[in-house]
Amino acid sequence: LVQAMEPRTQYSDAIVDAYDQPEGDFSGAAYNLEYYHETRSWILWSALRDVDEGFRADLGFMPQVDQRFGELGAGLLWTGSPGDWYTRTELLWKVNHSEDHQGNLLLDEYVLKFNYEGPLQSHAFLRPRHVREGWAGEEYDYNELYLHVCLNPNGHSHAWVEAIAGGRLDYAGGREGQRLQLHPGFWYRFGPHLRLELDYTSEQMEVDAGWLYNASVGQLGIAWQFDARTFVRAILQNVDYEFNTAVDLAGREPEYQHLFSQLLFSYKLNPQTVLFLGYSDNSYGDVTTDLTREDRTLFVKVGYAFVL
C-alpha cells in the first residue's frame, strides 16, 4: 500500500481563535507506505508513515499530526485439525518507533502477542508490551499486560472479559502510575425477537502520592425486533468518576456522575426509507448535587437512500 495526501485548509476566524489554528490558507503532506505478506505458517509486515504539522484531515480521522512512524512485525501461525484444542494460534512480535519532526520521542513500543481461536467460536489473546513514551519533554518507561477472552457458547449468546494492568501516564500531572482496567460484558437473544446486552468498564489508577481516580461506565441495552421492518430499543448508561483531589493536579471535582437514557422506535417504510421516533434524557450529579435530570429530547427522523 502506497498513499500520499496533501490537503489545503483554511479555517474560519471562530475556529482559529477557539482552537489555536493557523490563520489563512495552509497545507501539509502525509505519506503512508505499508507492506504485508502472509503464508500458511508465517506472517511479515512493515509500515512507514510521515505526517506534517500542517496536515489536516477534517473530512476523515487523524488523531495526531507532526510525526514520523515506523513499524516492523513478524509472526508464526498454526492451523489446527478437526478435533484439536485450537482452530488457529498465532505468536506475533512487533516493534515501532514514532517521533515528531524535531526528533523528540513520542513512543517506542515492543510487543509480544499470543492469539488463540478454538471451540465454541472462542477467541483469546495475551499481549505483554514494553513502552518508552515521551511527554512534555520527559521520557517514561513502563510495562503493560493486556488479556482478552471471548466466546459464543451457542447462536444465542456471546460473552467477553478484558483486563489491562501495568504502567500508565498521568498526562495532566506529568507522572507515571499504575492502572487496572476490567471490561466484562455479554449479550443474549431470548428467541428471535428479544436481545439483551450488558457492558461494563471499571478503571483505577494509582501514582506514588496515592490513588488518583476510580472510573466506571455501565450500559444496558434491550431491543425487541417485531419483524424485518420494525424494532424498539432502550438504552440506559451510567458514568461515575471519583478523583482524589489531594493527588489530582488537573483541578477536577472529586465526583461526577452522568445518567443517560434513550428509547428509540424504528420503522422501515420501504427499502429506501426509514422512520425513527425517539426520546432521550440526561441527568448529572457531583459532590454538591444529587443526580438531577437536566434535559429531555423528543425527536423524529426520516432517512432516505438515493439510488443513482
Side-chain angles (χ1 to χ4, degrees):
L1 171 67
V2 178
Q3 187 179 47
M5 298 171 285
E6 187 173 359
R8 302 193 67 84
T9 305
Q10 184 172 6
Y11 289 123
S12 66
D13 293 339
I15 297 297
V16 170
D17 294 338
Y19 299 99
D20 192 25
Q21 293 298 309
E23 296 181 0
D25 186 37
F26 66 97
S27 66
Y31 306 96
N32 190 41
L33 176 64
E34 297 180 12
Y35 171 80
Y36 182 89
H37 184 80
E38 180 177 347
T39 70
R40 181 177 175 84
S41 57
W42 59 272
I43 183 174
L44 177 67
W45 74 90
S46 62
L48 291 173
R49 184 167 63 245
D50 192 307
V51 184
D52 290 343
E53 184 177 359
F55 179 83
R56 297 294 184 270
D58 296 305
L59 299 180
F61 178 71
M62 178 70 71
Q64 186 173 8
V65 296
D66 187 20
Q67 64 163 317
R68 296 188 180 100
F69 172 87
E71 179 173 291
L72 179 64
L76 299 175
L77 315 176
W78 296 271
T79 302
S81 302
D84 285 348
W85 60 274
Y86 68 95
T87 304
R88 178 185 173 98
T89 58
E90 304 174 347
L91 183 61
L92 308 175
W93 165 87
K94 74 174 182 179
V95 57
N96 59 58
H97 171 82
S98 60
E99 60 184 38
D100 63 22
H101 285 83
Q102 289 73 47
N104 300 309
L105 174 69
L106 298 176
L107 187 71
D108 274 342
E109 189 179 35
Y110 307 88
V111 180
L112 185 66
K113 186 177 182 182
F114 176 74
N115 288 334
Y116 164 83
E117 297 177 13
L120 301 178
Q121 298 184 44
S122 58
H123 171 76
F125 68 77
L126 181 66
R127 189 200 69 184
R129 69 170 185 156
H130 175 73
V131 176
R132 187 164 63 94
E133 185 172 2
W135 176 254
E138 300 289 337
E139 295 185 3
Y140 302 87
D141 286 84
Y142 57 88
N143 299 307
E144 180 187 83
L145 186 65
Y146 186 2
L147 173 66
H148 170 88
V149 180
C150 67
L151 57 88
N152 293 339
N154 49 57
H156 299 287
S157 60
H158 178 77
W160 68 89
V161 62
E162 294 180 338
I164 305 175
R168 183 74 169 183
L169 284 189
D170 169 26
Y171 296 99
R175 54 193 170 175
E176 184 182 339
Q178 294 292 316
R179 172 185 65 152
L180 174 62
Q181 182 187 105
L182 299 175
H183 177 204
F186 75 93
W187 59 256
Y188 189 86
R189 287 195 182 98
F190 297 87
H193 300 290
L194 181 62
R195 172 186 166 116
L196 172 69
E197 182 171 351
L198 181 62
D199 190 295
Y200 179 76
T201 301
S202 174
E203 181 172 302
Q204 300 86 37
M205 183 170 178
E206 293 187 358
V207 294
D208 289 342
W211 72 274
L212 180 59
Y213 66 78
N214 293 320
S216 64
V217 180
Q219 178 169 301
L220 173 65
I222 301 175
W224 181 272
Q225 188 80 40
F226 291 92
D227 51 40
R229 290 172 174 255
T230 312
F231 74 83
V232 174
R233 184 189 68 197
I235 293 177
L236 185 66
Q237 183 185 83
N238 183 69
V239 177
D240 196 349
Y241 297 149
E242 294 182 1
F243 296 97
N244 185 351
T245 55
V247 174
D248 180 37
L249 300 180
R252 289 169 287 204
E253 295 294 327
E255 295 180 17
Y256 170 82
Q257 189 175 5
H258 175 210
L259 181 64
F260 168 79
S261 62
Q262 182 187 81
L263 182 63
L264 177 68
F265 169 81
S266 173
Y267 178 71
K268 185 181 293 185
L269 283 75
N270 56 55
Q272 294 176 255
T273 310
V274 182
L275 171 67
F276 298 99
L277 301 174
Y279 165 85
S280 66
D281 63 31
N282 290 277
S283 299
Y284 299 92
D286 55 30
V287 68
T288 60
T289 306
D290 293 335
L291 196 63
T292 304
R293 181 184 292 116
E294 290 197 359
D295 61 70
R296 298 177 180 176
T297 303
L298 293 171
F299 58 89
V300 178
K301 178 181 177 181
V302 177
Y304 183 80
F306 292 91
V307 179
L308 302 177

CSV table of all heavy atoms in Angstrom, one decimal, residues 17 38 43 57 71 83 129 141 183 197 211 228-229 235 250 252 276 280 294:
chain,number,residue,atom,x,y,z
A,17,ASP,N,-9.6,31.1,16.5
A,17,ASP,CA,-9.5,31.6,17.9
A,17,ASP,C,-9.7,30.5,18.9
A,17,ASP,O,-9.1,30.5,20.0
A,17,ASP,CB,-10.5,32.8,18.1
A,17,ASP,CG,-10.1,34.0,17.2
A,17,ASP,OD1,-8.9,34.1,16.8
A,17,ASP,OD2,-11.0,34.8,16.9
A,38,GLU,N,1.6,-12.8,4.1
A,38,GLU,CA,1.1,-13.9,4.9
A,38,GLU,C,1.1,-15.2,4.2
A,38,GLU,O,0.6,-15.3,3.0
A,38,GLU,CB,-0.3,-13.6,5.5
A,38,GLU,CG,-0.8,-14.7,6.4
A,38,GLU,CD,-2.1,-14.4,7.1
A,38,GLU,OE1,-2.5,-13.3,7.0
A,38,GLU,OE2,-2.7,-15.3,7.7
A,43,ILE,N,3.9,-14.8,9.0
A,43,ILE,CA,3.4,-13.5,8.6
A,43,ILE,C,4.5,-12.5,8.8
A,43,ILE,O,5.3,-12.6,9.7
A,43,ILE,CB,2.1,-13.2,9.4
A,43,ILE,CG1,1.5,-11.8,8.9
A,43,ILE,CG2,2.4,-13.1,10.9
A,43,ILE,CD1,0.2,-11.5,9.6
A,57,ALA,N,-7.1,16.5,8.4
A,57,ALA,CA,-8.0,15.5,7.9
A,57,ALA,C,-9.4,15.8,8.4
A,57,ALA,O,-10.0,14.9,9.0
A,57,ALA,CB,-7.5,14.1,8.2
A,71,GLU,N,7.2,0.8,11.8
A,71,GLU,CA,6.9,-0.4,12.5
A,71,GLU,C,7.4,-1.6,11.7
A,71,GLU,O,7.3,-1.6,10.5
A,71,GLU,CB,5.4,-0.5,12.7
A,71,GLU,CG,5.0,-1.8,13.4
A,71,GLU,CD,3.5,-1.8,13.8
A,71,GLU,OE1,3.1,-1.0,14.7
A,71,GLU,OE2,2.7,-2.6,13.2
A,83,GLY,N,-10.9,-31.7,15.7
A,83,GLY,CA,-10.7,-32.4,17.0
A,83,GLY,C,-9.5,-31.8,17.8
A,83,GLY,O,-9.4,-32.2,19.0
A,129,ARG,N,3.6,-5.8,26.7
A,129,ARG,CA,4.4,-4.9,25.9
A,129,ARG,C,5.2,-4.0,26.9
A,129,ARG,O,4.9,-3.8,28.0
A,129,ARG,CB,3.5,-4.0,25.1
A,129,ARG,CG,2.6,-3.0,25.8
A,129,ARG,CD,1.9,-2.1,24.9
A,129,ARG,NE,1.1,-1.1,25.6
A,129,ARG,CZ,0.8,0.1,25.2
A,129,ARG,NH1,1.2,0.5,23.9
A,129,ARG,NH2,0.1,1.0,25.9
A,141,ASP,N,9.4,5.0,31.0
A,141,ASP,CA,9.4,3.6,30.7
A,141,ASP,C,8.4,2.8,31.6
A,141,ASP,O,8.4,3.0,32.8
A,141,ASP,CB,10.8,3.0,30.9
A,141,ASP,CG,11.8,3.5,29.8
A,141,ASP,OD1,12.3,4.6,30.0
A,141,ASP,OD2,11.9,2.7,28.9
A,183,HIS,N,-13.1,-5.1,31.9
A,183,HIS,CA,-14.2,-4.8,31.0
A,183,HIS,C,-14.9,-6.1,30.6
A,183,HIS,O,-14.5,-6.8,29.7
A,183,HIS,CB,-13.6,-4.2,29.7
A,183,HIS,CG,-14.6,-3.9,28.7
A,183,HIS,ND1,-14.3,-3.8,27.3
A,183,HIS,CD2,-16.0,-3.8,28.7
A,183,HIS,CE1,-15.4,-3.7,26.6
A,183,HIS,NE2,-16.5,-3.6,27.5
A,197,GLU,N,-28.2,-6.8,26.2
A,197,GLU,CA,-26.8,-6.6,26.2
A,197,GLU,C,-26.4,-5.8,27.4
A,197,GLU,O,-27.0,-4.8,27.7
A,197,GLU,CB,-26.3,-5.9,24.9
A,197,GLU,CG,-24.8,-5.7,24.8
A,197,GLU,CD,-24.3,-5.2,23.5
A,197,GLU,OE1,-25.1,-5.2,22.5
A,197,GLU,OE2,-23.1,-4.9,23.4
A,211,TRP,N,-3.9,6.9,45.5
A,211,TRP,CA,-4.8,6.6,44.4
A,211,TRP,C,-5.2,7.9,43.7
A,211,TRP,O,-5.4,9.0,44.3
A,211,TRP,CB,-6.0,5.9,44.9
A,211,TRP,CG,-7.0,6.7,45.7
A,211,TRP,CD1,-6.9,6.9,47.0
A,211,TRP,CD2,-8.2,7.3,45.2
A,211,TRP,NE1,-8.0,7.7,47.4
A,211,TRP,CE2,-8.8,7.9,46.4
A,211,TRP,CE3,-8.8,7.5,44.0
A,211,TRP,CZ2,-10.0,8.7,46.3
A,211,TRP,CZ3,-10.0,8.2,43.9
A,211,TRP,CH2,-10.5,8.8,45.0
A,228,ALA,N,-39.1,-7.7,10.2
A,228,ALA,CA,-38.0,-7.2,9.4
A,228,ALA,C,-38.0,-5.7,9.3
A,228,ALA,O,-37.0,-5.0,9.0
A,228,ALA,CB,-38.0,-7.9,8.1
A,229,ARG,N,-39.2,-5.1,9.5
A,229,ARG,CA,-39.4,-3.6,9.3
A,229,ARG,C,-39.3,-2.8,10.6
A,229,ARG,O,-38.9,-1.7,10.6
A,229,ARG,CB,-40.7,-3.3,8.7
A,229,ARG,CG,-40.8,-3.8,7.2
A,229,ARG,CD,-42.3,-3.6,6.8
A,229,ARG,NE,-42.4,-3.8,5.3
A,229,ARG,CZ,-42.6,-2.9,4.4
A,229,ARG,NH1,-42.6,-1.6,4.8
A,229,ARG,NH2,-42.7,-3.2,3.1
A,235,ILE,N,-31.9,2.1,25.9
A,235,ILE,CA,-30.5,2.1,26.4
A,235,ILE,C,-30.5,2.9,27.7
A,235,ILE,O,-31.1,4.0,27.8
A,235,ILE,CB,-29.6,2.8,25.3
A,235,ILE,CG1,-29.5,1.9,24.1
A,235,ILE,CG2,-28.2,3.0,25.9
A,235,ILE,CD1,-28.6,2.6,23.0
A,250,ALA,N,-5.0,18.2,38.0
A,250,ALA,CA,-5.8,18.8,36.9
A,250,ALA,C,-6.9,19.7,37.5
A,250,ALA,O,-7.6,20.3,36.7
A,250,ALA,CB,-6.3,17.8,36.0
A,252,ARG,N,-9.7,18.7,38.9
A,252,ARG,CA,-11.1,18.2,38.7
A,252,ARG,C,-11.9,18.0,40.0
A,252,ARG,O,-11.3,17.9,41.1
A,252,ARG,CB,-11.0,16.8,38.0
A,252,ARG,CG,-10.5,17.0,36.5
A,252,ARG,CD,-10.2,15.6,35.9
A,252,ARG,NE,-8.9,15.1,36.4
A,252,ARG,CZ,-8.1,14.2,35.8
A,252,ARG,NH1,-8.5,13.8,34.6
A,252,ARG,NH2,-7.0,13.8,36.3
A,276,PHE,N,-37.7,7.2,12.3
A,276,PHE,CA,-37.2,7.0,13.7
A,276,PHE,C,-38.0,7.9,14.6
A,276,PHE,O,-38.2,9.1,14.2
A,276,PHE,CB,-35.7,7.3,13.8
A,276,PHE,CG,-34.8,6.4,13.0
A,276,PHE,CD1,-34.3,6.8,11.8
A,276,PHE,CD2,-34.5,5.2,13.5
A,276,PHE,CE1,-33.5,6.0,11.1
A,276,PHE,CE2,-33.6,4.4,12.8
A,276,PHE,CZ,-33.1,4.8,11.6
A,280,SER,N,-35.0,10.8,24.7
A,280,SER,CA,-33.7,10.7,25.5
A,280,SER,C,-33.7,11.7,26.6
A,280,SER,O,-34.3,12.8,26.4
A,280,SER,CB,-32.5,10.8,24.6
A,280,SER,OG,-32.3,12.1,24.1
A,294,GLU,N,-31.4,17.1,33.6
A,294,GLU,CA,-31.2,18.5,33.1
A,294,GLU,C,-31.8,18.7,31.8
A,294,GLU,O,-32.0,19.9,31.4
A,294,GLU,CB,-29.7,18.8,33.0
A,294,GLU,CG,-29.0,18.9,34.4
A,294,GLU,CD,-27.6,19.6,34.3
A,294,GLU,OE1,-27.2,19.9,33.1
A,294,GLU,OE2,-27.0,19.8,35.3
